[in-house]
């Protein structure tokens, strides 16, 4: 079967092909001397063929690839991927699914053997993971390629160093690094114009968001793969999975719109090598049993965390409000403001919304009260709070009340006093008005009625950890 035929098959059709024996190991490759004009590098169709060529267990049939592994690897190689239409994917998989051995390692080795001057960049938050899993599987494939082709070329095909590999035939390097600091992820770009480059992230849920931001600055990639067991419902890996297009919703993977990620969801049920006894044991021994966060992540490859139950507003609700709003912008004729005036190390901010849309958060801090008043009046005018009907709700606790009193004396009669420690409207449920407002705001986020149209990571973090 050709890569295009494999890519077009559904998971069920792939599974039937594997079980019926229709999908056979590739024949030995006919490679003589340097690569031909037809191929940039080694004439290897895809990472599946690479494994049949270099992995004795795969070639002998001792180990059978799962349909989802075949699908991912053929998708990775399908089409002529370019910078303007890269292959971008997230693989959300259970523990023990073979993410490093049968996803990252064969794909990055294939990329750098198949194309001249290609570049592979592989990272993980754990140096141990990088050395003992990802790097080990890359070592095995590169050493197997050396054994197979060294006699043909008169020299090793691959040069192997610690966390650095280079295919000497194609001049294509692979660089591995642990994400200790964001600067390590900066500066990776294609070796030449129009050359291939792949970025691979292992156990991405543990990789800091700063590293992902740095990876986004590695322009020019043609392939990008984020692989992980899922964790809490927050962070960049969760965000990617929430917006990615499910693989089963596509015909051919090339049908994925430009700029979008494709998601491969791999629970234990898609990995026949994982014993049922192991799954039974996990149901019994993991905290919360089969409905607990640990089982959902390790076995079912689902996001979730028990900590969601301990905060007023789970991150998942806030993320929805920052990326999209269920009802859209319900505009109003005037803006509404929220003012928090604090002393010490607490945040001092002025927030502006229009209807259900938060449009600006202005943090500030002045040691002099008169400077604070002057700054606030400038902001009130800037955001049209001198318009009739515009209101400002201000925290009147502690330092806030004297400043609010002065502002009202200066003509800002549209400021309303809010005291968090006052009685709640529903005293049966909430201890005070402050708690009541927090939970009511959380309900608006949960139902998708609020749009936080600001790029403020600190705001998101504070809202999701109370």
């Amino acid at each position: 079967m050709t890569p295009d035929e494999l890519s077009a098959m559904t998971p069920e059709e792939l599974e039937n092909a594997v079980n019926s024996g229709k999908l056979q190991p590739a024949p030995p490759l006919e490679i003589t001397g340097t690569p031909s004009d037809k191929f940039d590098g080694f004439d290897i169709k895809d990472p599946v063929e690479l494994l049949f060529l270099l992995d004795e267990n795969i070639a002998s049939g001792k180990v059978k690839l799962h349909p989802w592994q075949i699908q991912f690897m053929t998708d990775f190689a399908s089409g002529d991927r370019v910078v303007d239409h890269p292959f971008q994917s997230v693989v959300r998989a259970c523990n023990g699914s073979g993410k490093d051995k049968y996803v990252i390692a064969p794909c990055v080795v294939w990329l750098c053997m198949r194309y001249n001057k290609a570049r592979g960049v592989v990272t993980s938050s754990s140096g141990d993971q990088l050395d003992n899993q990802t790097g080990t599987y890359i070592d095995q494939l590169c050493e197997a390629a050396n054994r197979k082709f060294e006699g043909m070329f008169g020299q090793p095909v691959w040069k192997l160093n610690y966390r650095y590999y280079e295919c000497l035939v194609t001049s294509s390097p692979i660089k591995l690094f642990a994400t200790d600091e964001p600067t390590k992820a900066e500066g990776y770009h294609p070796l030449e114009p129009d050359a291939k480059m792949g970025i691979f992230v292992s156990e991405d849920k543990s990789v800091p968001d700063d590293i992902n931001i740095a990876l986004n600055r590695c322009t020019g990639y043609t392939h990008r793969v984020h692989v992980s067991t899922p964790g809490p419902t927050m962070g960049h890996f969760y965000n990617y999975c929430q917006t990615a297009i499910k693989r089963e919703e596509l015909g051919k993977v090339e049908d994925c719109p430009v700029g979008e990620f494709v998601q491969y969801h791999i629970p234990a049920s898609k990995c026949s090598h994982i014993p049922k006894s192991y799954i039974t044991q996990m149901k019994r021994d993991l905290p919360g049993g089969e409905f607990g966060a640990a089982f959902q992540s390790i076995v079912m490859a689902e996001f979730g965390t028990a900590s969601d139950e301990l905060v007023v507003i789970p991150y998942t609700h806030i993320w929805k409000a920052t990326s999209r709003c269920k009802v859209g912008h319900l505009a109003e004729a005037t803006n509404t403001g929220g003012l928090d005036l604090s002393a010490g190390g607490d945040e001092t901010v002025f927030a502006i919304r229009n209807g259900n849309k938060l449009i600006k958060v202005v943090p500030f801090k002045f040691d002099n009260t008169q400077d604070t008043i002057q700054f606030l009046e400038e902001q009130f005018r800037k955001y049209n709070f001198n318009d009739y009907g515009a209101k400002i709700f201000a925290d009147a606790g502690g330092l806030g009340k004297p400043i609010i009193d002065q502002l009202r004396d200066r003509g800002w009669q549209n400021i309303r006093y809010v005291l968090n420690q006052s009685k709640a409207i529903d005293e049966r449920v909430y201890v005070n008005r402050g708690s009541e407002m927090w939970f009511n705001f959380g309900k608006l986020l949960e139902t998708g009625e609020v749009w936080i149209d600001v790029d403020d990571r600190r705001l998101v973090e504070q809202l999701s950890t109370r």
Side-chain angles (χ1 to χ4, degrees):
M1 293 183 181
T2 67
D4 288 340
E5 289 173 336
L6 287 170
S7 180
M9 295 175 71
T10 66
E12 292 76 15
E13 289 170 338
L14 273 171
E15 187 169 8
N16 291 334
V18 171
N19 294 335
S20 65
K22 290 181 180 179
L23 190 63
Q24 297 294 329
L29 299 183
E30 297 290 338
I31 301 178
T32 57
T34 58
S36 67
D37 293 336
K38 183 178 179 182
F39 298 102
D40 291 337
F42 286 85
D43 180 10
I44 303 175
K45 293 179 182 178
D46 51 43
V48 176
E49 187 168 274
L50 179 88
L51 287 175
F52 278 122
L53 182 69
L54 301 180
D55 189 319
E56 294 180 359
N57 290 323
I58 298 292
S60 66
K62 184 177 180 180
V63 173
K64 289 187 176 182
L65 293 171
H66 299 309
W68 73 265
Q69 293 167 341
I70 295 171
Q71 182 176 56
F72 181 86
M73 288 186 281
T74 54
D75 284 353
F76 183 88
S78 65
D80 183 19
R81 292 297 180 168
V82 293
V83 172
D84 292 335
H85 194 177
F87 173 78
Q88 299 189 120
S89 63
V90 284
V91 181
R92 174 165 57 105
C94 63
N95 271 22
S97 59
K99 300 182 292 294
D100 287 290
K101 188 169 186 177
Y102 297 120
V103 173
I104 292 179
C107 286
V108 71
V109 172
W110 174 82
L111 187 74
C112 290
M113 290 183 71
R114 174 63 183 81
Y115 297 102
N116 284 333
K117 295 296 180 70
R119 184 177 222 172
V121 179
V122 184
T123 188
S124 173
S125 65
S126 166
D128 183 69
Q129 165 97 15
L130 207 61
D131 294 336
N132 296 322
Q133 293 195 63
T134 320
T136 297
Y137 299 132
I138 294 174
D139 280 346
Q140 290 175 352
L141 291 174
C142 292
E143 289 171 352
N146 282 345
R147 290 191 300 270
K148 193 170 193 70
F149 298 119
E150 186 171 0
M152 183 180 298
F153 290 97
Q155 65 175 6
V157 171
W158 281 94
K159 179 176 71 175
L160 286 74
N161 296 109
Y162 179 63
R163 295 188 181 176
Y164 181 85
Y165 310 82
E166 184 175 351
C167 182
L168 300 175
V169 176
T170 60
S171 300
S172 299
I174 300 173
K175 171 67 176 177
L176 278 62
F177 71 95
T179 55
D180 297 324
E181 49 191 65
T183 53
K184 288 189 176 182
E186 297 179 359
Y188 291 104
H189 305 288
L191 297 178
E192 290 185 349
D194 300 324
K196 306 295 184 185
M197 185 174 84
I199 296 175
F200 303 81
V201 187
S202 179
E203 282 308 317
D204 192 29
K205 72 173 183 294
S206 303
V207 171
D209 286 346
D210 287 344
I211 293 293
N212 188 68
I213 293 171
L215 288 174
N216 287 335
R217 292 195 286 268
C218 296
T219 56
Y221 63 84
T222 56
H223 297 75
R224 186 164 174 174
V225 180
H226 292 252
V227 180
S228 188
T229 52
T233 51
M234 62 187 303
H236 63 270
F237 184 70
Y238 173 77
N239 293 347
Y240 285 147
C241 289
Q242 292 304 295
T243 57
I245 298 174
K246 296 177 181 178
R247 178 59 182 90
E248 55 268 25
E249 294 177 358
L250 297 169
K252 295 191 300 181
V253 72
E254 295 95 321
D255 295 337
C256 182
V258 175
E260 300 294 334
F261 280 74
V262 181
Q263 179 177 180
Y264 300 78
H265 177 209
I266 316 300
S269 59
K270 291 187 177 181
C271 303
S272 57
H273 70 279
I274 297 178
K276 292 182 179 180
S277 59
Y278 168 82
I279 298 174
T280 301
Q281 180 184 347
M282 293 299 99
K283 286 181 181 180
R284 183 192 67 212
D285 296 342
L286 290 175
E290 64 180 299
F291 301 108
F295 182 86
Q296 290 298 308
S297 171
I298 292 171
V299 178
M300 303 303 294
E302 296 287 356
F303 287 96
T305 172
S307 63
D308 279 356
E309 302 171 2
L310 305 178
V311 295
V312 177
I313 307 173
Y315 172 84
T316 178
H317 301 336
I318 300 164
W319 182 86
K320 290 178 182 177
T322 59
S323 61
R324 67 192 69 178
C325 180
K326 184 178 180 180
V327 298
H329 181 200
L330 304 177
E332 293 180 342
T334 57
N335 291 334
T336 301
L339 181 59
D340 185 12
L341 298 162
S342 304
D346 291 341
E347 292 295 321
T348 305
V349 296
F350 179 47
I352 303 100
R353 70 172 173 86
N354 182 273
N356 64 335
K357 186 176 185 178
L358 178 65
I359 57 176
K360 188 68 176 178
V361 176
V362 182
F364 62 94
K365 185 177 182 181
F366 298 97
D367 295 329
N368 187 295
T369 300
Q370 294 309 309
D371 290 340
T372 299
I373 291 173
Q374 180 181 344
F375 175 79
L376 285 173
E377 287 193 295
E378 292 172 356
Q379 297 299 310
F380 292 168
R381 285 188 286 269
K382 178 179 179 179
Y383 291 100
N384 302 317
F385 283 96
N386 46 5
D387 288 352
Y388 178 80
K391 293 183 177 61
I392 302 167
F393 295 88
D395 181 4
L399 180 67
K401 188 176 186 304
I403 294 178
I404 297 169
D405 289 342
Q406 291 189 56
L407 286 166
R408 286 178 63 86
D409 289 343
R410 295 170 71 94
W412 299 97
Q413 295 296 314
N414 55 340
I415 298 180
R416 303 290 185 265
Y417 294 92
V418 177
L419 190 60
N420 288 329
Q421 300 306 315
S422 62
K423 289 183 179 180
I425 295 175
D426 191 345
E427 295 182 65
R428 299 170 301 169
V429 179
Y430 304 104
V431 67
N432 55 39
R433 181 61 179 148
S435 296
E436 187 172 40
M437 289 189 294
W438 265 93
F439 278 96
N440 287 343
F441 181 60
K443 291 174 184 175
L444 293 173
L445 290 171
E446 182 177 6
T447 55
E449 298 177 56
V450 176
W451 189 350
I452 302 178
D453 189 31
V454 293
D455 184 14
D456 191 332
R457 295 175 60 199
R458 190 170 187 182
L459 171 65
V460 171
E461 180 180 347
Q462 290 176 338
L463 287 175
S464 61
T465 54
R466 185 179 181 90

